[in-house]
Amino acid sequence: MKPSLYLLPALLLCSMKVIAQQRPPSISSPEVHPDHSITFKYFSRKAQKVTLNGEFLKAPVALMKDTSGIWSVTVPPVKADIYPYSFSVDSVQVADPNNTYIFANERFKRSIVDVPGDQPLVHSLQNVPHGKISYRYYKSATLGMTRQLLVYTPPGFNPNGKTKYPVLYLIHGGSDTEETWTKVGRANLIADNLIAQGKAKPMLIVMPYGNVRPAPMPDFTKDMVADIVPFIEANYPVIMESKGRAVAGFSVGGGQTLNIGLTNPSTFAYICSYAPYTATEEFQKNFANWTPDAAKINSQLKLFTVSVGTDDFLYEPVKKNIAMFEDKKIKLKSYIVPGGHTWMNCKQYLATTLQELFN
Amino acid sequence: MKPSLYLLPALLLCSMKVIAQQRPPSISSPEVHPDHSITFKYFSRKAQKVTLNGEFLKAPVALMKDTSGIWSVTVPPVKADIYPYSFSVDSVQVADPNNTYIFANERFKRSIVDVPGDQPLVHSLQNVPHGKISYRYYKSATLGMTRQLLVYTPPGFNPNGKTKYPVLYLIHGGSDTEETWTKVGRANLIADNLIAQGKAKPMLIVMPYGNVRPAPMPDFTKDMVADIVPFIEANYPVIMESKGRAVAGFSVGGGQTLNIGLTNPSTFAYICSYAPYTATEEFQKNFANWTPDAAKINSQLKLFTVSVGTDDFLYEPVKKNIAMFEDKKIKLKSYIVPGGHTWMNCKQYLATTLQELFN
């Protein structure tokens, strides 16, 4: 027998009909080098122009083609973090075909590159006990459908034990999905690491799907309070009081967090809003002419934070909302940090506020 | 205030820097109509030619552009099933940007369309109790790294109860990932439905990542036997005998199944190989000059099945392997059915053999 037969790499196979079609060569992309420079590759014999657009770049950079049709570029060392990127192939935006790490999103397909730190970062996979992420279905009476949500349970979690856990309800951004907080935000690893260091309390993190279109946005508030929280409390050993419930979210989810949390302070004692988008009918209805009993709300809430980056395109409206809440005497802790409206920032907002929950 | 302010759909937002860039219009794609025809849409003002390539089509079909830059095509009714598809935009293959259902794969990015049956199909989300899918990390001593795997636990599963469950170890195809069996194969819903109907035993389904490159392929066999099985048995209430263990897989994973199962018949009493790809060094080493003690193996195995479709590009080699096993007097049940090397077929192989496990 010819050895070459056995060297036919499994790589060249795929589990579909396209197997019979001509397959591109095996490519490893992205490759993060020890100095934090990164090589990106894309295969196309036909393309005229391939560029890389990454959130670690100020502007797209061009890839160069070799004689075999492999386009590549190596970018100079970048700061350790997790970054979204995509290719533009003759002006068509594509995710990296050779990278399984996809940005979970409804409106675009981008890939993710993880540049590890010289020291492990708060979102890195470290040698610590790991919790589990469970994909579950729940029935939403509000929306009249069965929906999926993700539940992080911490290391050592015992569903039948005597320990009652607090729960963080964590909402993604506007066109994200219930998977974005784990796939891009690494919420599970951030929790694993902070719990291992004793910096965060062991807790459940529930990640629902916040988009309810074509239903009106306030239906998600109802879904959260009337369907999601009861589902979790019926199925997990959790603290069934406001002091054991937190709600947090990013961007559109940050706005939803304010709507859900501040209209239900007897349900959630912790509210953490990350770069909230608030130009919604629901927010206007709730807060344009809000006359809160501030003393009461302040006594109900154990923590209310608003985070935003100074380069965030929502920086000005977020500052206005912070001022609005302060004007109404609502006690609030604001985290104004460098950076933009990115998941790089968002992970830091979570890592910071996770340490303040359920203390 | 202008109502238009509040009509700014959250749709137009995204949770990233690209927010500031021009965003495409909101598009719903794919849309499956009641008659099972499907409309696919893609937005591009610049593209010259957009085609649809789907596993329900014999050949790609062209989309037509309207004046707003939205390309669309409606394909005639197709048989209810779940199909992979992609667009070709000026010859660049892209997943559908507006569809969150992605084919989990290392080598390409395609989307998935679910055409529901007039009656629920075996893989449909039905109104039955649902199990959970857990994403977990385990340490692979064989590979010297922490790896991810998925664990399906059935409805009513109690990690601390007295019930000991059997376990199916289920391996994906050659360039797939540990998510492909749930994201494309809907293994969890198939199990939910068959368990609800009393047609399958409540069981765990463990879905590891079968690709170990650049390590040699036999290292996955070691990883399975020395790392994955012990991890599961240390962490779940399962039957720790061969009669409580099954191994199954598709394509390259079907070949791995034969390697893992037939070289470890005292570990796995059930072996189900779906359209196995066997042109590997490991398979040749194990089986080219195999002189099995057939009577012993037949007494150890409670079930050994091989499934393949008559249009599968592996049909002939699979038939040869079936003949080879029969020639060596190994008892085997073959399922030769219509269809190709597709996940449409693969789901059926699982649904058929799941009913024969652990009886």
Side-chain angles (χ1 to χ4, degrees):
Chain A
M1 58 184 115
K2 281 188 270 180
S4 63
L5 252 181
Y6 316 122
L7 296 176
L8 242 185
L11 285 186
L12 289 176
L13 284 179
C14 86
S15 49
M16 302 174 38
K17 273 200 283 192
V18 292
I19 199 109
Q21 301 169 9
Q22 196 190 350
R23 296 300 306 278
S26 175
I27 294 176
S28 174
S29 176
E31 286 189 335
V32 180
H33 307 294
D35 69 350
H36 297 181
S37 63
I38 319 170
T39 300
F40 296 87
K41 291 182 184 170
Y42 182 85
F43 174 78
S44 173
R45 291 190 197 283
K46 285 187 203 169
Q48 297 298 310
K49 188 181 176 190
V50 180
T51 58
L52 166 72
N53 193 350
E55 295 202 17
F56 45 85
L57 294 171
K58 291 207 190 324
V61 297
L63 283 74
M64 302 298 290
K65 185 166 75 166
D66 72 11
T67 51
S68 66
I70 296 177
W71 298 74
S72 68
V73 68
T74 298
V75 300
V78 303
K79 187 185 162 202
D81 208 328
I82 296 173
Y83 299 95
Y85 72 95
S86 59
F87 296 126
S88 173
V89 181
D90 293 343
S91 299
V92 180
Q93 188 202 283
V94 295
D96 187 340
N98 294 290
N99 183 349
T100 57
Y101 297 105
I102 288 283
F103 194 122
N105 191 278
E106 299 176 334
R107 301 297 304 289
F108 56 78
K109 299 287 166 275
R110 304 185 82 199
S111 300
I112 298 163
V113 58
D114 185 347
V115 182
D118 295 325
Q119 297 300 318
L121 302 179
V122 69
H123 60 251
S124 300
L125 179 66
Q126 300 185 31
N127 188 19
V128 299
H130 296 295
K132 279 189 278 192
I133 305 160
S134 294
Y135 284 55
R136 302 208 49 163
Y137 294 106
Y138 73 99
K139 284 187 188 172
S140 169
T142 303
L143 301 166
M145 61 175 77
T146 296
R147 304 188 103 211
Q148 187 172 261
L149 52 71
L150 274 60
V151 182
Y152 167 84
T153 50
F157 173 77
N158 179 349
N160 306 111
K162 285 185 181 166
T163 305
K164 303 287 182 203
Y165 290 85
V167 185
L168 165 61
Y169 295 86
L170 185 60
I171 312 165
H172 57 76
S175 65
D176 300 328
T177 77
E178 68 273 29
E179 291 188 291
T180 311
W181 263 114
T182 56
K183 299 270 187 193
V184 189
R186 303 279 167 93
N188 54 315
L189 295 180
I190 292 172
D192 283 350
N193 293 332
L194 292 175
I195 291 169
Q197 293 168 32
K199 291 182 179 170
K201 295 276 180 298
M203 67 180 85
L204 270 64
I205 304 179
V206 175
M207 292 157 277
Y209 179 48
N211 297 328
V212 295
R213 296 179 300 272
M217 206 177 201
D219 278 10
F220 181 65
T221 298
K222 287 184 210 163
D223 184 47
M224 177 69 93
V225 175
D227 299 309
I228 295 172
V229 171
F231 170 79
I232 295 299
E233 299 192 348
N235 285 284
Y236 290 89
V238 294
I239 300 166
M240 292 163 70
E241 296 171 69
S242 69
K243 69 175 184 189
R245 300 190 198 101
V247 60
F250 175 51
S251 192
V252 168
Q256 289 172 316
T257 294
L258 296 172
N259 286 309
I260 293 167
L262 291 172
T263 64
N264 295 281
S266 63
T267 302
F268 301 95
Y270 297 84
I271 302 173
C272 299
S273 181
Y274 311 143
Y277 174 75
T278 55
T280 64
E281 200 167 357
E282 186 181 19
F283 190 85
Q284 289 296 322
K285 193 179 159 210
N286 284 332
F287 300 106
N289 301 298
W290 197 36
T291 53
D293 180 343
K296 186 174 176 196
I297 290 182
N298 291 337
S299 74
Q300 289 174 303
L301 296 185
K302 292 181 174 292
L303 183 73
F304 174 26
T305 71
V306 178
S307 310
V308 72
T310 50
D311 293 332
D312 196 311
F313 80 105
L314 292 175
Y315 179 50
E316 290 302 329
V318 170
K319 273 203 308 186
K320 271 185 201 158
N321 279 320
I322 290 172
M324 181 271 285
F325 289 127
E326 285 174 341
D327 188 52
K328 294 185 194 292
K329 311 296 180 203
I330 301 293
K331 215 172 118 189
L332 164 157
K333 200 164 167 180
S334 61
Y335 287 105
I336 314 289
V337 299
H341 199 74
T342 69
W343 275 90
M344 290 83 81
N345 264 47
C346 188
K347 289 195 305 291
Q348 294 304 320
Y349 303 150
L350 177 68
T352 300
T353 53
L354 215 51
Q355 303 180 46
E356 299 185 79
L357 297 182
F358 313 123
N359 287 328
Chain B
M1 59 184 116
K2 282 189 270 180
S4 64
L5 252 182
Y6 314 122
L7 296 176
L8 242 186
L11 286 186
L12 288 177
L13 286 180
C14 86
S15 48
M16 302 174 37
K17 273 199 283 191
V18 292
I19 198 112
Q21 301 169 7
Q22 195 189 349
R23 295 300 307 277
S26 173
I27 294 176
S28 174
S29 177
E31 287 188 334
V32 180
H33 307 294
D35 69 350
H36 297 181
S37 63
I38 318 170
T39 301
F40 296 87
K41 291 182 184 169
Y42 182 84
F43 175 79
S44 173
R45 290 190 198 281
K46 286 188 202 167
Q48 297 297 310
K49 188 182 176 189
V50 180
T51 58
L52 166 72
N53 193 351
E55 295 202 16
F56 45 86
L57 293 171
K58 289 206 191 325
V61 297
L63 282 75
M64 300 297 289
K65 185 166 74 164
D66 72 11
T67 51
S68 66
I70 296 176
W71 297 74
S72 68
V73 66
T74 298
V75 301
V78 304
K79 186 185 163 201
D81 209 326
I82 296 172
Y83 300 95
Y85 72 95
S86 59
F87 296 125
S88 173
V89 181
D90 293 342
S91 298
V92 181
Q93 188 200 284
V94 294
D96 187 341
N98 294 289
N99 183 350
T100 57
Y101 297 104
I102 288 280
F103 193 122
N105 191 279
E106 299 176 334
R107 302 295 305 287
F108 56 78
K109 299 288 167 274
R110 304 185 80 197
S111 300
I112 297 163
V113 58
D114 185 349
V115 182
D118 295 324
Q119 299 299 318
L121 302 178
V122 70
H123 59 252
S124 301
L125 179 66
Q126 299 185 32
N127 188 19
V128 299
H130 296 295
K132 279 189 278 193
I133 305 161
S134 294
Y135 284 55
R136 302 206 51 161
Y137 294 105
Y138 73 99
K139 284 188 189 174
S140 170
T142 303
L143 301 166
M145 61 175 79
T146 296
R147 303 188 104 210
Q148 185 172 261
L149 52 71
L150 275 60
V151 182
Y152 166 84
T153 51
F157 172 77
N158 179 348
N160 305 110
K162 286 187 180 163
T163 305
K164 303 287 182 204
Y165 290 84
V167 185
L168 165 61
Y169 295 86
L170 186 59
I171 312 164
H172 56 76
S175 64
D176 300 328
T177 77
E178 67 273 29
E179 291 188 291
T180 311
W181 263 113
T182 57
K183 299 272 187 193
V184 189
R186 303 280 167 93
N188 55 315
L189 295 180
I190 291 172
D192 284 349
N193 292 332
L194 292 175
I195 291 169
Q197 293 168 35
K199 291 181 179 170
K201 295 276 181 297
M203 68 180 85
L204 270 65
I205 303 178
V206 175
M207 291 157 278
Y209 180 50
N211 297 328
V212 294
R213 296 179 300 271
M217 206 179 203
D219 278 9
F220 182 64
T221 297
K222 287 183 211 162
D223 185 47
M224 177 70 93
V225 174
D227 298 310
I228 295 172
V229 170
F231 170 78
I232 295 299
E233 299 192 347
N235 286 284
Y236 291 89
V238 295
I239 299 166
M240 291 163 70
E241 296 171 70
S242 68
K243 69 175 185 189
R245 299 190 199 102
V247 60
F250 175 51
S251 192
V252 168
Q256 289 172 316
T257 294
L258 297 172
N259 286 310
I260 293 168
L262 292 172
T263 63
N264 295 282
S266 62
T267 302
F268 302 95
Y270 297 84
I271 301 173
C272 300
S273 180
Y274 311 143
Y277 174 75
T278 55
T280 63
E281 201 167 355
E282 185 181 18
F283 190 84
Q284 289 296 323
K285 193 180 161 210
N286 283 332
F287 300 108
N289 301 299
W290 197 36
T291 52
D293 180 343
K296 185 175 177 196
I297 290 183
N298 290 337
S299 74
Q300 289 174 304
L301 296 185
K302 291 181 174 293
L303 183 73
F304 174 26
T305 71
V306 178
S307 310
V308 71
T310 50
D311 293 332
D312 195 312
F313 82 104
L314 293 175
Y315 179 49
E316 289 302 330
V318 170
K319 273 204 306 185
K320 271 185 201 156
N321 278 321
I322 290 172
M324 180 270 284
F325 290 127
E326 286 174 342
D327 188 52
K328 294 185 194 293
K329 310 295 180 202
I330 302 293
K331 216 172 116 189
L332 163 157
K333 200 163 166 181
S334 61
Y335 286 105
I336 314 290
V337 300
H341 199 73
T342 69
W343 275 90
M344 291 82 83
N345 263 47
C346 187
K347 291 197 304 292
Q348 294 305 319
Y349 303 150
L350 177 68
T352 299
T353 52
L354 215 51
Q355 303 180 46
E356 299 184 78
L357 297 182
F358 313 122
N359 287 327

